[in-house]
Amino acid sequence: MERNTQTRNLTCIGCPMGCSVTVTMENNEVTGVTGNTCKRGDDYARKEVTHPTRIVTSSVRVKGGRIPMVSVKTASDIPKEKIMEIMHCIDGVCVQAPVHIGDVVLADAAGTGVDIVATKNVERCQTL
């Protein structure tokens, strides 16, 4: 059986150090990680080459709020290939003020099982 060995060079985003990490793979399985200075680097590198995920941040429209938009994010990381689908879902969301940090503005975004939550408070606009 022929071996399929490859290496990938990454910059770790697991902590502020930003280590240059090299991942060695054989037949699509990680066989080694070098260059990391902490365990998070090893974990990040293995996950990034086998099943990359991301936290998505954006904003949604607010109706009746003191400001017209509220910042939001995924409650946990999502598969990288779902980013554009999630952004499309977020684009159609409009919430009613007031909005509080942690409020779910979109449940189960793009069928990922991950909610989109508010990351800012937006109070209701008071009319005179």
Side-chain angles (χ1 to χ4, degrees):
M1 181 174 185
E2 186 177 318
R3 286 184 180 168
N4 180 11
T5 303
Q6 62 187 66
T7 60
R8 290 217 19 219
N9 296 311
L10 308 168
T11 299
C12 179
I13 60 172
C15 79
M17 294 282 292
C19 296
S20 294
V21 180
T22 300
V23 180
T24 305
M25 298 177 68
E26 191 170 302
N27 298 324
N28 295 324
E29 289 192 29
V30 176
T31 57
V33 176
T34 59
N36 55 300
T37 57
C38 68
K39 170 113 173 69
R40 287 187 286 183
D42 185 84
D43 294 343
Y44 167 78
R46 289 173 186 278
K47 187 174 177 184
E48 184 64 13
V49 298
T50 58
H51 186 69
T53 60
R54 298 291 186 269
I55 296 288
V56 174
T57 61
S58 188
S59 56
V60 300
R61 290 178 290 283
V62 177
K63 186 174 182 179
R66 288 191 179 188
I67 57 175
M69 303 289 280
V70 64
S71 56
V72 297
K73 71 178 194 86
T74 52
S76 61
D77 52 347
I78 54 99
K80 187 177 176 182
E81 67 270 10
K82 289 281 196 172
I83 291 173
M84 294 310 292
E85 191 175 342
I86 284 179
M87 290 303 296
H88 180 73
C89 294
I90 288 172
D91 186 47
V93 174
C94 182
V95 295
Q96 183 70 43
V99 181
H100 300 98
I101 294 172
D103 285 356
V104 174
V105 300
L106 178 63
D108 187 21
T112 60
V114 177
D115 296 337
I116 306 297
V117 297
T119 60
K120 180 178 181 146
N121 293 325
V122 177
E123 297 305 320
R124 188 170 309 171
C125 184
Q126 301 297 323
T127 57
L128 295 177

